Amino acid sequence: MIKALHHIAIAVESIDAVLPRWVDGLGLTLCGREDVPGEQVRVAVLMAGDTRIELVEPMSPTSPVAKFLEKRGPGLHHLAFHVDDTGKMMKVLADRGATLLSDAPKPGAHGTQQAFLHPRWLGGVLAELVEEPK
C-alpha cells in the first residue's frame, strides 16, 4: 500500500521569487527543476534532510495550480505518497470509495507515474500517489 511520504508540495506564484528563502534562508538543498507539461507546472525539488519538498509553479493560467493560487493563495498544495504501483493503488482506493481525479496514472516529474485523489475524500487534503520509475 503506502510505502512512505514521497513529498510535500507547496504552490507558489514564482519559484524564482521564493527559492532564495528556501535555499539561502532555510539552507535546504536544491536538487533540480523540471517542467511537467501534463500538469502544466514547473517544479523545484528541495531536500530537508530525507524529506522532499516540491515548489510548484503554474505554467499556464488554466493549470490546476493556477486555479488553486487564485482561490487559496500560495501555500501547502498536497501531500504525495510513495506507492509501488500507481494503477493498482488507484483501483484499491476506488474500490474503497475514493474519488480519483483521473482514470489512469499520468507522467509526473522525474519519470514518475502519478495520480491524485480528490481532496473531499481525505477531509480537504489533496493527495497524490507517486510511483518511482523502475
Side-chain angles (χ1 to χ4, degrees):
M1 297 285 304
I2 302 293
K3 295 176 73 171
L5 182 66
H6 187 273
H7 67 267
I8 300 165
I10 309 295
V12 299
E13 292 171 356
S14 166
I15 290 171
D16 290 336
V18 301
L19 192 59
R21 295 179 193 157
W22 290 86
V23 175
D24 301 330
L26 292 177
L28 302 186
T29 303
L30 175 64
C31 296
R33 295 176 178 224
E34 184 175 344
D35 289 351
V36 184
E39 293 297 325
Q40 302 175 51
V41 296
R42 287 189 175 87
V43 176
V45 177
L46 304 161
M47 294 303 292
D50 292 336
T51 303
R52 179 180 174 136
I53 298 170
E54 294 188 359
L55 303 179
V56 184
E57 171 189 329
M59 293 172 61
S60 149
T62 61
S63 84
V65 172
K67 292 175 186 173
F68 176 92
L69 287 166
E70 281 178 26
K71 189 174 184 180
R72 295 194 172 100
L76 179 64
H77 185 259
H78 68 268
L79 297 177
F81 297 99
H82 185 196
V83 298
D84 284 328
D85 185 322
T86 304
K88 194 179 290 185
M89 189 64 172
M90 289 174 75
K91 179 168 178 10
V92 167
L93 290 171
D95 289 347
R96 293 179 180 175
T99 304
L100 300 158
L101 297 181
S102 62
D103 294 330
K106 295 180 179 181
H110 310 292
T112 61
Q113 290 293 304
Q114 51 91 2
F116 284 91
L117 301 170
H118 196 287
R120 251 178 304 183
W121 196 68
L122 290 175
V125 177
L126 179 64
E128 179 184 14
L129 306 173
V130 179
E131 176 185 342
E132 290 287 342
K134 304 283 188 247

